């Protein structure tokens, strides 16, 4: 069944948990699509897990378009949401609408995600008015890493917790279809979830949210630079991959690969003729 923003809306009403993972390429998106994930986020986390930057700030709109196109070719039934990178929407409402439009028109995405609370509500409203669904993102918003002084849990005191609750309500009013809650205490995430009618998708925000999202390299053990507490490793693909790479190196070096079963045949007659011709030359 095709997942759309209506799936998000109905899931909250029916108390069904939503599932979202990040993906940045055709093959991974296709695998996720085949097992029925509700949404794929082409996150600006790609700056860290795909491109090797220390944070997400260097990611460009072209990077997100490029990876969204690949994901859209692989995922046919999944709602595809593309992150709006740093400085693609903060600068003005006009920039926000133009860049959101590029993610839909050029990237073939279905929706966009942007970080921030009440300060980005004018952008959310304008993008939604242009018929582009918006997912908001509050809490530990990685694009604010310099303002926070690191990747730090947010909303731990009364003032910042209340600010997040107010932000969620304002975002709903602005027309967003969902909110990602990242890096906030579980009980606060539950209060936010219960105080709005649009679904919350948690990452490091406990299981009181309406759904969950993880970065796929984190959940598969493929990215070890930084492992926050909230990540559950569902597989250790990184070490399987390293074992396979090592075996390949050994087999190539020893001559064991490629074997006869990986090799194309040619008739003896042809090969003898070529060898004969070589000798004449
Ligand atoms: O960029 C990303 O992958 C994200 C998720 C961590 C929510 O924003």
């Amino acid at each position: 069944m095709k997942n759309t923003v209506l799936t998000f809306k109905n899931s909250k009403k029916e108390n069904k948990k939503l599932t979202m993972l990040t993906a940045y390429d055709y093959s991974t998106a296709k695998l996720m699509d085949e097992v029925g994930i509700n949404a794929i986020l082409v996150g600006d986390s790609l700056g860290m897990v795909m491109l090797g930057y220390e944070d997400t700030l260097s990611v460009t709109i072209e990077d997100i378009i490029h990876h969204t196109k690949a994901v859209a070719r692989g995922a046919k039934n999944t709602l595809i949401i593309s992150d709006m990178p740093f400085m693609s929407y903060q600068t003005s409402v006009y920039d926000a609408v133009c860049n959101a439009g590029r993610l839909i028109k050029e990237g073939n995405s279905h929706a966009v995600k942007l970080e921030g609370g009440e300060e980005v509500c004018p952008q959310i409203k304008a993008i939604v008015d242009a018929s582009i669904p918006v997912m908001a993102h509050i809490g530990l918003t990685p694009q604010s890493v310099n303002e926070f002084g690191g990747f730090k849990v947010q909303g731990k005191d009364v003032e910042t917790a209340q600010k997040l609750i107010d932000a969620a309500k304002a975002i709903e009013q602005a027309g967003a279809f969902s909110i990602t809650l990242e890096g906030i205490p579980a009980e606060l995430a539950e209060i936010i979830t219960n105080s709005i009618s649009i679904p919350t998708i948690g990452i490091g925000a406990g299981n009181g949210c309406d759904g969950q999202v993880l970065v796929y390299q984190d959940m598969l053990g493929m990215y070890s630079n930084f492992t926050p507490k909230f990540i559950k490793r569902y597989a250790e693909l990184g070490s399987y991959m390293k074992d396979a790479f090592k075996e390949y190196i050994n087999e190539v070096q020893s001559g064991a690969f490629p074997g006869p079963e990986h090799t194309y045949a040619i008739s003896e007659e042809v090969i003898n003729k070529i060898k004969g011709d070589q000798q004449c030359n």
Side-chain angles (χ1 to χ4, degrees), residues 20-22 24 41-46 49 56 83 113 115 135 137 140 142 180-182 201-203 213-215 218 230:
M20 180 159 103
L21 283 170
T22 65
Y24 320 95
L41 172 67
V42 185
D44 60 358
S45 50
L46 73 84
V49 296
T56 59
D83 247 342
K113 175 167 86 56
E115 297 181 9
M135 174 180 275
H137 183 165
L140 197 183
T180 294
L181 302 179
E182 177 166 358
I201 305 296
I203 174 161
V213 58
L214 282 176
V215 170
D218 287 341
F230 59 77

Side-chain angles (χ1 to χ4, degrees), residues 9-44:
K9 199 174 170 183
N10 295 336
S11 292
K12 175 134 184 163
K13 268 201 225 138
E14 293 160 16
N15 214 11
K16 274 203 259 170
K17 295 275 188 188
L18 288 156
T19 57
M20 180 159 103
L21 283 170
T22 65
Y24 320 95
D25 68 278
Y26 168 81
S27 313
T28 310
K30 190 160 182 280
L31 291 172
M32 290 176 184
D33 192 69
E34 282 166 4
V35 297
I37 199 90
N38 293 122
I40 289 178
L41 172 67
V42 185
D44 60 358

